[in-house]
Amino acid sequence: MLDSRNLKSPYRDWTRAPERGSSWLLSVIVRIARSMPRPLVRLLLYPIVAYFVAFSPKQVAASRSFLSRALNRTPSMHEVFEHYLTFARMVLDRVYWLSRAPHGIEVEIHGAEAVSRAMAGSACGAVIISAHFGSFEALRAAGEQFSERRIRPLMYVSNATKIQRVLDAVNSDLSRDVIFAGRVDTMITIRDALAHGDFVGILADRAPFEERGMWAKFMGQPALFPVGAYRLAALLDVPVFFACAVLDGEKYKVFFESLNSPGRATSREERLRWVKEQVESFAQHLERYARAFPFNWFNFYDFWQSTAPSEPREESGALRQ
């Protein structure tokens, strides 16, 4: 049965959520990060994390909700703190990744050969599907190690202008690679990037208020996932890869997995069927890694909607032309 729902939910309207913190404080952190050893700077994160844990009740509740699913038990307050701390450590490491000065950060790459085999001899690019899980900067840095292709992330920056402004000051070249979502020419820019052989990175676990989606089972309950990345891949017939870069102790572990290429779908029904399969596959991949590395999950809001159906189902407008 088709369900004519989209992502219009008070929990899903994350692009309008107010920012926390100040650009002044972020600027200070950036300056400290670039002038002090990374281990010492990481110690300074503890009081910052303690502040946010103490004064972010909704985000703490969301952390508890996710961790209870991922761990199959009620998380301790220490584990909630560790969840926040992992996020803070990755925000800090963004400074090092963007500065092209990784300060000895160790990276372990898995699955790069699958990408290389799939792209061998191909002039077109590919879509890399990831999530707000782990570090996209670490993922991009890893991709640059084994591929000469340009990696261009699709980004929503409307709800993170403070931190984005500060981080852009660290490396102004970032904006040259970023494809900004929500602009009139966004789809044209993505199409041209893929035609030139670039990798386009898309975080496919949440979408802006207006985008439609499909239901898929995730962590034991249906969740609504956006379909734009798969729709794009189906229309342009480009390969799709799942990827994530997680912080495991002191090391980043980067994983790449090849998903099915869409092929030449000759009808809307075939594209819809393929997109449905990809959404379900993405949800399964994401769940597997999220259970293995739960503190790398960075959706600090109610990811599951109270009005979700009892069984996953597609949305009728998912591939509307």
Side-chain angles (χ1 to χ4, degrees):
M1 179 178 177
L2 296 178
D3 175 26
S4 182
R5 281 197 60 164
N6 55 21
L7 300 183
K8 293 184 178 181
S9 159
Y11 302 112
R12 283 288 181 166
D13 195 10
W14 56 272
T15 61
R16 302 178 188 178
E19 291 182 77
R20 296 182 63 86
S22 71
S23 56
W24 175 83
L25 180 58
L26 290 168
S27 298
V28 172
I29 292 175
V30 168
R31 285 197 292 270
I32 293 174
R34 300 178 77 175
S35 61
M36 297 174 62
R38 178 171 172 258
L40 182 58
V41 180
R42 293 181 90 190
L43 291 177
L44 300 178
L45 296 177
Y46 282 84
I48 297 174
V49 169
Y51 168 82
F52 280 100
V53 170
F55 296 101
S56 304
K58 290 184 178 180
Q59 288 77 14
V60 167
S63 172
R64 286 185 177 278
S65 174
F66 172 77
L67 290 176
S68 65
R69 296 172 186 271
L71 301 174
N72 289 318
R73 58 175 172 78
T74 301
S76 66
M77 199 62 210
H78 172 77
E79 288 168 325
V80 172
F81 187 91
E82 184 67 23
H83 193 188
Y84 267 71
L85 184 62
T86 302
F87 176 70
R89 286 172 172 169
M90 287 198 180
V91 171
L92 171 65
D93 286 345
R94 291 185 70 183
V95 178
Y96 303 124
W97 294 120
L98 295 175
S99 300
R100 296 293 192 269
H103 285 241
I105 301 175
E106 187 177 355
V107 179
E108 183 179 287
I109 304 176
H110 303 266
E113 61 281 358
V115 180
S116 299
R117 285 196 303 268
M119 300 302 296
S122 174
C124 71
V127 173
I128 296 180
I129 304 295
S130 192
H132 292 82
F133 174 75
S135 169
F136 192 85
E137 276 74 27
L139 180 61
R140 184 166 58 173
E144 291 174 349
Q145 290 185 27
F146 69 86
S147 176
E148 296 180 354
R149 294 175 185 262
R150 188 179 179 191
I151 301 177
R152 306 195 61 186
L154 179 69
M155 293 180 61
Y156 297 90
V157 295
S158 59
N159 71 320
T161 54
K162 289 179 182 177
I163 190 169
Q164 195 61 45
R165 187 164 56 247
V166 174
L167 294 173
D168 281 349
V170 176
N171 185 353
S172 59
D173 291 339
L174 175 67
S175 295
R176 300 177 186 176
D177 288 335
V178 170
I179 299 174
F180 293 99
R183 296 183 176 178
V184 293
D185 63 343
T186 297
M187 293 302 296
I188 296 175
T189 304
I190 293 175
R191 183 198 63 191
D192 292 345
L194 292 170
H196 284 95
D198 299 338
F199 289 132
V200 175
I202 301 176
L203 304 185
D205 53 332
R206 48 169 139 149
F209 193 54
E210 297 83 4
E211 186 176 330
R212 296 175 179 271
M214 284 185 174
W215 295 102
K217 185 168 289 187
F218 178 66
M219 294 287 184
Q221 183 176 336
L224 197 56
F225 291 92
V227 299
Y230 316 104
R231 173 183 177 182
L232 179 70
L235 292 174
L236 299 181
D237 188 21
V238 295
V240 182
F241 300 96
F242 173 87
C244 62
V246 299
L247 183 58
D248 186 23
E250 299 299 317
K251 177 192 302 183
Y252 281 88
K253 293 183 178 180
V254 182
F255 300 91
F256 293 93
E257 294 194 33
S258 181
L259 301 181
N260 293 329
S261 296
R264 290 293 180 184
T266 59
S267 67
R268 179 182 180 277
E269 287 71 23
E270 289 181 353
R271 288 197 299 271
L272 180 62
R273 187 180 309 111
W274 182 82
V275 168
K276 178 179 181 294
E277 293 172 355
Q278 295 307 297
V279 170
E280 292 174 345
S281 178
F282 171 76
Q284 292 169 6
H285 278 76
L286 184 58
E287 177 171 340
R288 177 158 51 90
Y289 284 102
R291 288 190 183 278
F293 306 99
F295 300 126
N296 285 260
W297 175 261
F298 300 140
N299 286 302
F300 290 98
Y301 64 93
D302 187 358
F303 193 79
W304 294 266
Q305 300 179 67
S306 60
T307 53
S310 58
E311 293 295 333
R313 50 188 176 179
E314 309 95 328
E315 185 204 34
S316 60
L319 290 182
R320 186 173 297 161
Q321 301 297 318

